[in-house]
Amino acid sequence: MLKVDKETFKKDYEEKFIEIHGKDLSDGTDYNKYEALASLTRDYVVKMWISTNKNYNFTGEKQVYYFSMEFLLGRLLGNALLNLGIRDVCKEALSDFNIDLNKLEALEQDQGLGNGGLGRLAACFLDSMASLNIPGHGCGIRYKYGFFEQKIINGMQIETQDDWLKNNNVWEIKKPDKAQIVKFGGQVNTISENGNLKFVHTGYEAVLAVPYDVPIIGYENNIVNNLRLWSAEPLYDEFDFSSFSRGEYLKALEYKNSVEAISQVLYPDDSVYEGKRLRLKQQYFFVSAGIQSIIRHFKVYGKAPLNDLDEKIAIHINDTHPTLAIPELMRILMDEEGYGWDEAWRITTNTMSYTNHTILSEALEKWPIDMFKKLLPRIYMIIEEINRRFCEELWNKYIGQWDKISKMAIIADGYVKMAHLAIVGSHSVNGVAKLHTEILKKQEMKDFYYFYPNKFNNKTNGITHRRWLIKANPQLTTLIKDTIGDSFIKHPTDMEAFERYASDKEVQQRLHEIKISNKKRFAEYLKEKQDISINPDSLFDVQVKRIHAYKRQILNCLRIMELYRKLIENPNLDIVPKTFIFAGKAAPGYHLAKKTIELINAVANKINNDPRVNEKIKVVFVENYKVSVAELIVPAADLSEQISTTTKEASGTSNMKFMMNGAVTIATLDGANIEIRDEVGDDNIIIFGLTEREVLDYYHKGGYSAWDMVNRDYRIKQVTEDTINGFYCSDKERFRAIYENLVTYNDEFFVLKDFDSYLKAQERADNLYKNFPKWQSMCAVNIAHSGIFSSDRTIQEYATGIWGSGYLYKNL
Ligand code: 26Q
């Protein structure tokens, strides 16, 4: 742990300030002060970073590399101070200068290099690996523009670019000497040399991959791991300079632009796959650079021959996006290191493991063969050979069953299927919650499960309690410490002891006060950002996540519309005053999701301007949802909406964040909601909706009619018609797409089917909330049982069950 006392810190800080700004602290702007603090913090970190690295090189212990297209880190300063163990000292030191630490922290740009759950999970995992002394590093892309910024104008989402690098980023260090060359296009010729086949790649376009390293700090353990993000730069060595002299200035510019495009922008889709060539280029770009740099480092420092690579290195691929790591490692081992196929394949499959994050079939990546072959000719040849050998194995087992074989093939129907490649080329395939893994095994990947039963396993997701509890909710952290001590910080499942206080009057009162104070903090944010006032004494009913049909923001919205109708009819209705809070981004090309945002805003506009109901309900859509906004909303929530169509949400992770902060969950039995229910018990969660069986039966056997729902239930008729009868918007056509989706196209996600059950569940929530001791005790039980959803538990399971790394593994 870093040892710095207050006086030393003050001295260091003032010196740092003068050094980087060339003026006195008293003349600095708040942003100047933030920069000095971040920069000083980085100085503290750098020494540990170097020593951690030296230590890894010295001991030669197994290194884990987590490959991901996305790392949604959010802000780094606050967590850096927390993990270094100097946040309190820093806070006091700064307050001697009359500086408010929280205010400086809020000036940091979010590092938003991810879409949502998958990217944030990668960030939580890095935090946990470092905190558990696991040598685990991230590998990804340094997008110039992160996930777009969302503005709401006239109720509609407008996207603008996230220029997060416009002010210099203190958290990264560029390492030009560690750059790698990545090759695209060209031809591969096969020649025979001393009886061996050699593959000669010519006519390719070379791109320079330049790494930027970001420190990942462990919690009070002197460990700093590495997140390596690759940026694409033109490689002028390879470029035909004579073209400049010939005046082919445009050609040079074209090359430069096409190279820079590779790491320009994060694709803002989180579930609908599009076969974009640039996306494939991005994938190969970072994967090739990452694997090359791992091998290069291993050859210098690895204390083993390359054929022991799989004992010294584990590479994890986060969904199929980095699957090309498999053929790329094969390529390097064979073409550059001279291994034969069998040995290269043994090393590769033992090194690689893969996580699936989605069962939506439209999200499964596949690439048109022609495009693939042209862009990555040598990699394509290797995949062809992997496929040929795999099909041969299938053939031996399933003689004559051509249907099955072509269904399972890696290359088929004109496409390269990335999930198939990932399964065949890894030794482990995991889902992210129990139900999700079961569905993979029994449905989506059934054939592969029968072929490779031992590869499949579950690793239920988790979240880092350091960011999502200790950092985001300091008052709740203090309460837990006051009651059960602080062992939960290192051992989050120790929070179970908090259950003993669930019915303690004083603790209940404090829980309530803490919630109110977090609600006020969020209300202030909302007032400042969007000039909206909300009442902290109302129940905060929250649904924040990507906007998607399967997540059913529409269901939530329809029941608000129903409640509004009821309130107009009967203004004296006895309900708990509520603030309905929504936030989330829609993929720019996802029409229905964008319409959903518009509908929520139209409903908000009508309700919030109706004096008849203003004392009772209010609807807000929080603009530009991101990690730092989540850190304000999550601790302020009373009710957590986790209402996806059962079987569709692989896990969910905001559900875990909310429970850890003492919100009660209203949920379908989907994803990790099931495990949350198992932990807290039926009395401490509000469950509704179709079961897995019912949903699957409808999908397989049919028999669902949305139209029947409309005709049978006048409330459903009313609220669906309210989307197109001018009640919320004079343009009756504005929400027609939503209406049609529900009624005409038979409601793919069973919104109307679950409507009644959802309304009843909301009524139960209301009654529970009115019972103060009961509600507070539910909150306490949720907090007490949230420890198992710390990503420390998840990472421990990955380390022992998949990677064979880390302290516990070594002591097994
Ligand atoms: C693929 C191809 C082209 C463009 C974009 C994409 C793409 C990008 C991101 C596809 C999927 C994603 C992200 C998926 C995701 O976030 N899934 C979520 O993962 C969480 C962590 O495991 C789960 O908790 C959520 O249930 C799951 O939806």
Side-chain angles (χ1 to χ4, degrees), residues 70 115-119 121 267-276 279 283 318-319 321 355-358 363 365 367 432 461 550-551 648-654:
E70 309 193 359
N115 269 286
L118 167 147
L121 186 76
Y267 275 93
D269 305 283
D270 72 339
S271 48
V272 185
Y273 137 86
E274 269 184 279
K276 288 262 167 55
R279 167 108 182 159
Q283 296 186 346
N318 197 21
D319 216 291
H321 319 150
T355 299
N356 171 287
H357 295 265
T358 179
E365 287 191 292
W367 299 104
V432 290
N461 282 165
Y550 85 79
K551 294 178 190 278
K648 294 292 179 187
E649 189 69 272
S651 158
T653 41
S654 74

Side-chain angles (χ1 to χ4, degrees), residues 193 215 273 472 524 600 618 674 728 730 734 756 795 807:
E193 213 179 68
Y273 137 86
E524 278 162 23
I600 293 167
K618 183 148 195 171
I674 298 174
Y728 288 101
S730 54
R734 189 169 183 193
D756 176 63
I795 282 300
Y807 169 79

Side-chain angles (χ1 to χ4, degrees), residues 75 130 136 149 195 210 237 255 334 367 383 405 474 498 501 540 612 638 681 696 701 781 793 806:
R75 293 180 178 142
E149 290 207 20
V210 184
D237 295 357
Y255 165 68
M334 295 187 304
W367 299 104
I383 296 175
I405 296 172
F498 191 63
Y501 296 86
F540 282 13
R612 292 172 295 179
D638 294 301
L696 294 177
K701 301 183 193 150
V781 171
R793 186 267 313 149

Side-chain angles (χ1 to χ4, degrees), residues 412-549:
D413 323 317
Y415 290 98
V416 182
K417 300 184 175 173
M418 301 304 264
H420 298 192
L421 178 57
I423 299 170
V424 174
S426 313
H427 67 279
S428 166
V429 177
N430 75 282
V432 290
K434 279 182 193 159
L435 175 69
H436 171 58
T437 302
E438 284 311 303
I439 294 175
L440 289 180
K441 293 202 293 198
K442 293 200 193 117
Q443 316 252 337
E444 242 50 36
M445 296 179 169
K446 184 173 77 194
D447 293 334
F448 287 97
Y449 176 55
Y450 284 112
F451 196 69
Y452 299 123
N454 299 326
K455 282 192 188 186
F456 285 76
N457 63 91
N458 176 248
K459 297 285 170 283
T460 299
N461 282 165
I463 55 166
T464 169
H465 61 291
R466 287 167 290 276
R467 178 176 294 261
W468 296 106
L469 174 61
I470 303 173
K471 176 74 207 343
N473 203 339
Q475 297 184 67
L476 179 57
T477 306
T478 305
L479 173 60
I480 302 173
K481 278 188 197 161
D482 288 351
T483 45
I484 64 167
D486 61 7
S487 73
F488 73 96
I489 292 177
K490 291 249 163 140
H491 306 281
T493 48
D494 286 0
M495 272 195 287
E496 276 175 30
F498 191 63
E499 188 165 3
R500 285 206 302 278
Y501 296 86
S503 41
D504 181 308
K505 291 278 157 293
E506 204 187 306
V507 168
Q508 292 192 345
Q509 188 54 34
R510 276 183 73 185
L511 276 175
H512 172 69
E513 282 159 13
I514 290 166
K515 189 63 80 183
I516 293 282
S517 139
N518 290 330
K519 285 157 100 169
K520 286 187 176 147
R521 183 175 66 164
F522 172 62
E524 278 162 23
Y525 169 86
L526 199 62
K527 180 76 194 155
E528 193 197 314
K529 282 279 172 188
Q530 290 175 237
D531 198 26
I532 296 175
S533 306
I534 53 175
N535 172 12
D537 292 321
S538 63
L539 184 159
F540 282 13
D541 176 325
V542 182
Q543 187 176 20
V544 291
K545 49 183 80 256
R546 288 300 295 268
I547 313 292
H548 199 293

Side-chain angles (χ1 to χ4, degrees), residues 307-337:
N307 49 346
D308 287 342
L309 188 80
D310 53 317
E311 285 175 24
K312 292 290 173 187
I313 292 210
I315 295 176
H316 199 86
I317 53 187
N318 197 21
D319 216 291
T320 53
H321 319 150
T323 301
L324 294 177
I326 293 164
E328 177 65 1
L329 181 55
M330 288 295 286
R331 183 189 69 79
I332 294 175
L333 291 174
M334 295 187 304
D335 297 3
E336 292 178 9
E337 304 296 335

Side-chain angles (χ1 to χ4, degrees), residues 86-114:
I86 57 169
R87 197 157 181 276
D88 292 339
V89 167
C90 168
K91 199 172 183 144
E92 285 163 25
L94 291 178
S95 84
D96 283 2
F97 294 123
N98 256 328
I99 300 172
D100 175 2
L101 173 60
N102 288 318
K103 201 164 139 193
L104 294 197
E105 283 175 358
L107 295 176
E108 183 178 353
Q109 286 268 341
D110 274 48
Q111 191 156 331
L113 308 185

